[in-house]
Amino acid sequence: MTGRVHSWDMSTGVDGPGTRFVLFLSGCPLRCRYCQNPDTWHMRDGRLSGVDEVMVRIEQCAAFLRASGGGVTISGGEPLLQHAFTAEVLHRCKALGLHTALDTSGFLGAAADQALLADTDLVLLDIKSFDIRVYERLTGGHLAPTLSFAGRLDALGVRTWIRYVLVPGWTDDPTAVEGLATFVAGLSNVERVDVLPFHKLGATKYQELGLPFHKLGATKYQELGLPFPLRDTPTPDTALVDRVRAQFRAHGLTAD
C-alpha cells in the first residue's frame, strides 16, 4: 500500500505524550486561514511512499520512542484523507508496541472505521471554532462533522486531546469559547484542552511556494504568491490566552 507523504519529524510537546515520530501526510480538504503548512494542502505535492518504507524509518527509532514514553503521531494535512494508508501505518505501529496518535480536524471523521480507531491510542482533535459561521469563514468547511466525530470518539472511549488555536478577532469570542467548553466538558474521554496561541511562523511559505489561498465555497484568491491571509492579525497576548484557558478550566477541564 502506498500513500502521499509530505515529511516526518521528531517532536515533543503538543503532538502527544513523550517524544513523537510525527508523520505528515499530504492533502487536506480544509483551507484554514491560519494554516502554517500550506505545502501540505495538495496530495500531488507529497512523495509517493509505501507503508514498508515508512515503517523502516519508524523501526529505526522505535526503542527510543518506547523509552521516552512517546510513540508515533500521524498528522498532515489531514491524515483521514488517506484513511486506508493511515490505518495500515497505525496498525503496524501497534504491532511494534508503540503508542499511536492521530492528529485530525475531524472533518473526515466518518472515514475512520472501527479498526483504525481501535489502533489509535489518542486522538488530537482540532476544533477550529464553535461558531458555525466563523468556522466556515475560517476553514472553508463545516463544523458538524467534527462535532459528530467527537461524539463518536466519546462513545467508543477513545482518549482525546482537544486542540484550539486562539486567533484574535476570530476564535476569541467569549460566548463561542463558552459554548465549546460546555460541549467538551460533556465528553467523558477528553483528557485536556491545548489552547494554542496563533503565530505566523509559517507565513513565508505562502510567498516562497507561490500558493494561492482557496477558501471552499467562498471568495478565492486568484493570484499566485499571495501574502499570508492573516498577516495583519495580531498574535494573542498573555491576558487573552489566560482568559480563554480559564474559561475551559471553569468547566473542570485541564487546559494548557
Side-chain angles (χ1 to χ4, degrees), residues 25-74:
L25 301 187
S26 293
C28 185
L30 301 180
R31 294 293 181 265
C32 299
R33 287 180 177 266
Y34 55 69
C35 181
Q36 300 298 311
N37 296 301
D39 44 332
T40 66
W41 284 351
H42 305 290
M43 287 183 62
R44 65 175 180 268
D45 294 329
R47 179 175 177 271
L48 192 63
S49 303
V51 173
D52 288 343
E53 178 185 353
V54 170
M55 294 310 301
V56 166
R57 289 190 177 274
I58 293 174
E59 288 167 5
Q60 289 172 346
C61 53
F64 171 71
L65 295 173
R66 292 191 205 97
S68 73
V72 176
T73 298
I74 304 186

Side-chain angles (χ1 to χ4, degrees), residues 1 7 28 79 87 95 101 213:
M1 180 180 296
S7 59
C28 185
F213 173 73

Side-chain angles (χ1 to χ4, degrees), residues 10 16 30 43 45 49 73 105-106 111 131-132 145 147 151 199 202 221 225 235-236 254:
M10 300 292 287
L30 301 180
M43 287 183 62
D45 294 329
S49 303
T73 298
S105 70
D131 182 304
I132 294 174
L147 299 187
H199 62 77
Y221 293 80
T235 56
T254 299

Side-chain angles (χ1 to χ4, degrees), residues 3-11 15 20-26 40 47 49-58 65 71-80 82 85-90 93 101-104:
R4 291 285 179 175
V5 173
H6 174 268
S7 59
W8 63 273
D9 198 4
M10 300 292 287
S11 77
D15 294 306
R20 314 295 299 181
F21 180 103
V22 184
L23 181 68
F24 296 94
L25 301 187
S26 293
T40 66
R47 179 175 177 271
S49 303
V51 173
D52 288 343
E53 178 185 353
V54 170
M55 294 310 301
V56 166
R57 289 190 177 274
I58 293 174
L65 295 173
V72 176
T73 298
I74 304 186
S75 186
E78 171 51 66
L80 292 180
Q82 301 187 62
F85 184 79
T86 295
E88 182 62 20
V89 173
L90 289 170
C93 287
L102 175 70
D103 178 11
T104 176

